[in-house]
């Protein structure tokens, strides 16, 4: 499957997001992985990059 970008949550029930990022990156080095989390802190953002992700963004959206 040709996938260009993945938007994924860090908090998942079966596998932690960081572990998933690492596994996905091992299978496809070219895919862009952006994590989404309700709580985005510098530590989490750094860890996303450290395990092979490309960045993060907050899930908080203002509908207005």
């Amino acid at each position: 499957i040709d996938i260009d970008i993945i938007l994924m949550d860090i908090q998942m029930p079966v596998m932690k997001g960081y572990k998933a990022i690492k596994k996905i990156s091992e299978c496809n080095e070219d895919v862009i992985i952006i994590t989404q989390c309700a709580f985005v802190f510098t530590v989490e953002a750094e860890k996303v990059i450290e395990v092979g992700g490309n960045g993060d963004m907050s899930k908080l959206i203002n509908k207005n």
Side-chain angles (χ1 to χ4, degrees):
I1 299 174
D2 189 23
I3 298 172
D4 296 318
I5 189 166
I6 296 172
L7 298 176
M8 65 180 289
D9 200 327
I10 288 294
Q11 301 293 327
M12 299 188 300
V14 176
M15 180 184 295
K16 298 284 185 209
Y18 301 118
K19 186 173 182 179
I21 291 169
K22 203 168 191 174
K23 287 184 170 281
I24 292 167
S25 295
E26 289 171 358
C27 295
N28 185 344
E29 294 176 0
D30 297 325
V31 69
I32 297 168
I33 303 171
I34 306 294
T35 61
Q36 298 175 296
C37 185
F39 305 103
V40 179
F41 298 107
T42 304
V43 175
E44 282 84 6
E46 290 172 356
K47 178 125 184 176
V48 166
I49 302 299
E50 188 178 299
V51 297
N54 299 92
D56 66 286
M57 63 185 208
S58 175
K59 273 202 244 179
L60 303 175
I61 298 171
N62 183 345
K63 291 183 181 183
N64 297 326

